[in-house]
C-alpha cells in the first residue's frame, strides 16, 4: 500500500516541535508549509491536508489566518480530506461556517473526552479516552450539517463534515511538548500550572497514546480508495 501525500499546514509560530510531533505520528509523505508565515500550497494536488495547532486565535484579524481559512474551505470544496488539530480544528470549523470564540479560561492537561458518535477516525479508540488539551478558544457553533463526534465539559472536541474533520485535543503531543507548553503559560496561576505539570506522567501519557490511533485511521483512509481501484 503506497503512502499518501499529505500537505502539513504548520500554523505554529515556532514550528520545530510541531514538525517533530507530526512527522513522528503521520505515516505519510509530508510536504510542509509554514502557514503562520503565509506559506500555503498553490494547488490541491494532495491526498490529504493536516492543519496544526497555533498560539493564535482563528478570529484574529491577520492576513495569514484569513488565507489559511480560505485555503481549507477550498480544500473541502475540492473534496480533499482535511484533519485539523486544536487551532487547526477551529480553522476547519470557521472555514465551513462554524463559529469559534474565546472561553475566558483554559482547558489544559490530560483530560477525559467522550465519543458521542461512531466515526472511522475513532476506530479502535475507546468511548472514553484520555488526551492532552491546551486551549482557551473553542468551537461554539458547529458548521451547518456537521456531526459532533466527541466532547467533554469544556465543549466540542471533535466533529466531521464530509471529508473534513477536526479534533480539539492534541494526540500528537509527547511529554516534552506537554511540559514545555504548560511552562510557557504565563497567564496560568502557579498552583494550577504545577498541577498540570504534576499530571504529565508516564502513566497519563501511555493512556493518551490510544488517541494517536486517529492519525493512522486518517492516513489509511486516504489510500483505501486507491487500493480499491
Amino acid at each position: 500500500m503506497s503512502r499518501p501525500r499529505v500537505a502539513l499546514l504548520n500554523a505554529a509560530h515556532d514550528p520545530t516541535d510541531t514538525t517533530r510531533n507530526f512527522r513522528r505520528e503521520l505515516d505519510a509523505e509530508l510536504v510542509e508549509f509554514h502557514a503562520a508565515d503565509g506559506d500555503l500550497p498553490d494547488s490541491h494536488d494532495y491526498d490529504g491536508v493536516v492543519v496544526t495547532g497555533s498560539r493564535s486565535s482563528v478570529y484574529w484579524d491577520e492576513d495569514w489566518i484569513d488565507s489559511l481559512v480560505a485555503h481549507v474551505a477550498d480544500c473541502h470544496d475540492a473534496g480533499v480530506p482535511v484533519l485539523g488539530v486544536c487551532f487547526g480544528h477551529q480553522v476547519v470549523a470557521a472555514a465551513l461556517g462554524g463559529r469559534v470564540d474565546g472561553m475566558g479560561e483554559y482547558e489544559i492537561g490530560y483530560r477525559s473526552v467522550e465519543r458521542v458518535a461512531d466515526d472511522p477516525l475513532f476506530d479502535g479508540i475507546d468511548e472514553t479516552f484520555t488526551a492532552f488539551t491546551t486551549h482557551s478558544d473553542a468551537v461554539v457553533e458547529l458548521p451547518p450539517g456537521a456531526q459532533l463526534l466527541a466532547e467533554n465539559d469544556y465543549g466540542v472536541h471533535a466533529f466531521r463534515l464530509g471529508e473534513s474533520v477536526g479534533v480539539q485535543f492534541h494526540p500528537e503531543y509527547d511529554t516534552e511538548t506537554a511540559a514545555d507548553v504548560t511552562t510557557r503559560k504565563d497567564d496560568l496561576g502557579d498552583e494550577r500550572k504545577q498541577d498540570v505539570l504534576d499530571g504529565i506522567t508516564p502513566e497519563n501519557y501511555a493512556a493518551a497514546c490510544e488517541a494517536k490511533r486517529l492519525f493512522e485511521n486518517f492516513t489509511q483512509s486516504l489510500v483505501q480508495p486507491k487500493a480499491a481501484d
Side-chain angles (χ1 to χ4, degrees), residues 64-120:
W64 75 269
I65 297 175
D66 293 341
S67 296
L68 177 59
V69 170
H71 182 78
V72 168
D74 288 345
C75 289
H76 177 81
D77 290 343
V80 180
V82 180
L83 169 64
V85 176
C86 196
F87 171 82
H89 154 89
Q90 296 164 12
V91 167
V92 174
L96 304 185
R99 188 166 69 88
V100 177
D101 204 352
M103 297 161 53
E105 59 178 326
Y106 269 105
E107 179 181 23
I108 184 167
Y110 286 108
R111 301 265 302 157
S112 290
V113 178
E114 301 284 338
R115 285 197 300 109
V116 297
D118 291 331
D119 188 87

Side-chain angles (χ1 to χ4, degrees), residues 1-2 28 41 68 74 91 98 169 211 213 216:
M1 183 181 293
S2 61
L68 177 59
D74 288 345
V91 167
F169 52 92
R213 174 68 183 270
E216 179 182 355

